[in-house]
Amino acid sequence: MAINTDKNSYTIIFAIIMVVVVGSLLAGFASGLKPMIDANKRYEKQQNILYAMGINNNEGANDVEFITTDAVEGEFAKYITKQLVIEGDEATENNEAYLIDIKKEATKAKDAGYTRKLPLFIGTKDGKEIYVAPVRGKGLWDAIWGFIAMDKNMTIQGVYFDHKGETPGLGAEIKQRFFMDDFVGESFLKDGNFGSILVAKGNNDPKNMDKSDQEVDALAGATITGDGLSAMLKKDIKMYVPYFKTLNK
Amino acid sequence: MGLLSKKDRKLILDPLADDNPITIQVLGICSALAITAQLKPSIVMAVSVIFVLGVGNVVISLMRNIIPSKIRIIVQLIVVATLVIIVDQVLKAFAYSLSKELSVFIGLIITNCIIMGRFEAFALGNGPWRSFLDGVGNALGYGVILIIVGFFRELLGSGTLFGFKVLGDSVEKTGLYAIGYENNGFMVLPPMALIVVGIIIWVQRSRNKALIEEH
C-alpha cells in the first residue's frame, strides 16, 4: 500500500467520499423507517387523547398505562365520535384534525392575517360528551404539552401532560398520575367567565378537595415548570372558550 | 472454548472485570448515572452500546490504513455518529416508548468516552476481528455494570424489576410493605447511582489486591 495518507489532496478527497457515503447511508435509513416512525407518533397522540378521556389500561394507583398500540386505532375510532377544526367562528368536521401540528399553528398565528386552526376531539364515554383540546407551552428546559378532556361546561374530566426535557424527579413529575389526577373536577369557567386553572403554591389545599378554587397544588422544586403549565393552559384553552359558549347557548 | 485463542479471550474477558471501563477506568460514568433508575433502559442502553462499539471498532479497524491521520478524530466521530443515528432511528421505529424513555441518552452515546477511547487506543492499531472482540468486550463490561446498578436501583427505589412488583404493592401494603418496608426514593435519583457504582468499585478492589494502587 503506497498511498501517502498525509497529503492534503488525499485528506480532502477522503473527507468528501466519507461525507457522501455516510450521507446517503443515513438518508436511506431515514426514508426507509419514516413510515413506521410516523405511525408510532400518530399512535402516541391517539393514546394521549384517549388517556385524557379516561380510556387507558391503568391498574395500580400510580399507573399511567396507555391503550396498547395494536388496539389504539380501533379504540380511537370507537370513542372519538367527531373531530373538529375550529377556525374563528366556524367549526368544521375533519377526520384528520388530530394530524394538525399545533406547534406550527402557533407559529403561523403570529401573522395577524392568519386564522389559527384549532383541533378539538369530541368523544363519548359512559353516555357523556367529552371534549379534548390539545395544549402546548414551555417548561423550564424545553417544550411541554398535553391534552385536556372537558365536558361542555369546561369542567376537566381528565388530562394528560408530557414534556421533552424537564428535570427527572422535579418538573418531569407533571406526567405522574398524582399530579394529573389533581386536575379532574376543576373548571375553566367560574360563573360563566373564563378563568384559567393555576398550578399554585401554598394554596392550603394539598389534597385538592376544593374543586371550585381553580387551583391545583404545585410540585415542590418545579416552580418554573408549574408556571409554564399554568401559562400554557391559560393561553391555549382560552382560544376554545368561544366555541364552548356556543354549546351552552 | 476452542473458538477463541487465549489472547482473543483476554480481549473479551478483561474488560468485564479487571479492566472494566466503568469501575477501573472510570469512563462512561455520565450515562451510567442517568439511565440506570430502571432495569429495562439499562439493558437497552447496554445492547445499543454493544452494537455501536462492536461495529464501530470493526469499521475503524478496516479503514485504519487509509484514514488520513490529520482528520482521524473527525472520522471516528462520524463513524460513531452514523451508528448512533441508525440505532436511534431503529429504536424509534420498533420500540417507540423505549426510545422516548432513553430520549437524549441514545444521542449521548456519541459522547461516551469509552467509544472514542477504544477507537483511538485499539481499533486504529489492530485487525478487524480483534477489534470486534475488544469492542464487544468493553461494551459488555460497561453493560454489566449498568445492569447491576439498574437492578439495585429499581429494586430498592421502586420495589419492581422490569416493572413487575416483586416486593409487593406499596400502595395497597402487601408483601414486604405489609411489615413496614418502604421504598427508598433516593435510589431513583442520579446521586444514588454514583454511590452504587462506588460500592461496586469498593467491593471489586477489596477482592482483587492487584487493582489497589501503591502510594
Side-chain angles (χ1 to χ4, degrees), chain A residues 1 3 5-6 8 10-11 14-15 18 22 25-26 29-30 33 36-37 40-41 44 61-62 162, chain B residues 63 65-71 75 78-79 82 85-86 89-90 92-94 96 100 165 171 189:
Chain A
M1 287 250 264
I3 320 169
T5 55
D6 283 336
N8 280 345
Y10 176 81
T11 306
F14 184 92
M18 178 115 198
V22 169
L25 183 73
L26 287 182
F29 253 92
L33 294 174
M36 294 164 91
I37 295 175
N40 281 334
K41 286 191 175 148
E44 190 197 8
N62 296 314
D162 205 349
Chain B
M63 300 200 305
N65 291 322
I66 57 163
I67 295 176
S69 58
K70 282 180 211 159
I71 57 166
V75 173
I78 291 175
V79 171
T82 313
I85 293 171
I86 290 174
Q89 296 272 330
V90 169
K92 273 203 182 117
F94 297 104
Y96 189 75
K100 266 201 81 175
K165 301 189 176 86
V171 181
L189 302 176

Side-chain angles (χ1 to χ4, degrees), chain A residues 17-238:
Chain A
I17 293 175
M18 178 115 198
V19 167
V20 171
V21 170
V22 169
S24 32
L25 183 73
L26 287 182
F29 253 92
S31 51
L33 294 174
K34 195 169 187 292
M36 294 164 91
I37 295 175
D38 286 350
N40 281 334
K41 286 191 175 148
R42 208 169 59 231
Y43 292 148
E44 190 197 8
K45 214 167 185 179
Q46 294 182 337
Q47 284 171 326
N48 291 173
I49 292 171
L50 289 176
Y51 185 91
M53 275 180 70
I55 296 155
N56 49 47
N57 288 348
N58 284 350
E59 282 171 12
N62 296 314
D63 285 4
V64 178
E65 209 59 57
F66 298 128
I67 298 283
T68 57
T69 36
D70 318 327
V72 71
E73 237 165 343
E75 295 288 297
F76 192 77
K78 190 168 115 196
Y79 284 105
I80 301 293
T81 45
K82 234 195 300 180
Q83 299 188 42
L84 291 183
V85 176
I86 304 169
E87 278 178 281
D89 299 331
E90 256 174 83
T92 43
E93 227 175 292
N94 184 341
N95 279 335
E96 294 198 324
Y98 72 96
L99 295 179
I100 291 177
D101 186 337
I102 60 168
K103 186 180 166 194
K104 281 188 191 145
E105 287 297 315
T107 321
K108 281 194 214 159
K110 283 178 190 152
D111 178 2
Y114 183 81
T115 323
R116 188 169 165 177
K117 289 196 181 96
L118 301 170
L120 184 70
F121 313 99
I122 305 177
T124 324
K125 193 196 163 204
D126 305 332
K128 199 168 164 185
E129 291 239 291
I130 294 178
Y131 303 80
V132 186
V135 291
R136 189 180 173 93
K138 284 195 201 81
L140 170 60
W141 302 113
D142 212 319
I144 53 176
W145 61 91
F147 293 91
I148 315 292
M150 297 165 280
D151 66 5
K152 66 185 171 70
N153 301 318
M154 298 192 90
T155 303
I156 293 185
Q157 306 297 309
V159 297
Y160 178 76
F161 294 122
D162 205 349
H163 63 93
K164 194 166 173 197
E166 298 309 293
T167 320
L170 302 174
E173 302 281 287
I174 57 167
K175 60 185 293 189
Q176 292 288 334
R177 180 85 176 273
F178 68 88
F179 182 71
M180 297 195 288
D181 282 0
D182 258 5
F183 283 84
V184 177
E186 298 280 349
S187 179
F188 285 102
L189 291 179
K190 202 169 190 180
D191 308 326
N193 293 316
F194 176 75
S196 190
I197 293 169
L198 284 180
V199 178
K201 290 197 280 188
N203 65 344
N204 295 327
D205 184 22
K207 288 246 180 322
N208 203 27
M209 309 302 270
D210 182 0
K211 293 292 185 189
S212 61
D213 59 356
Q214 300 191 309
E215 282 184 348
V216 295
D217 200 37
L219 295 160
T223 307
I224 296 181
T225 311
D227 288 351
L229 207 134
S230 301
M232 162 174 94
L233 292 179
K234 188 170 176 186
K235 177 175 66 75
D236 281 6
I237 296 295
K238 197 173 177 182

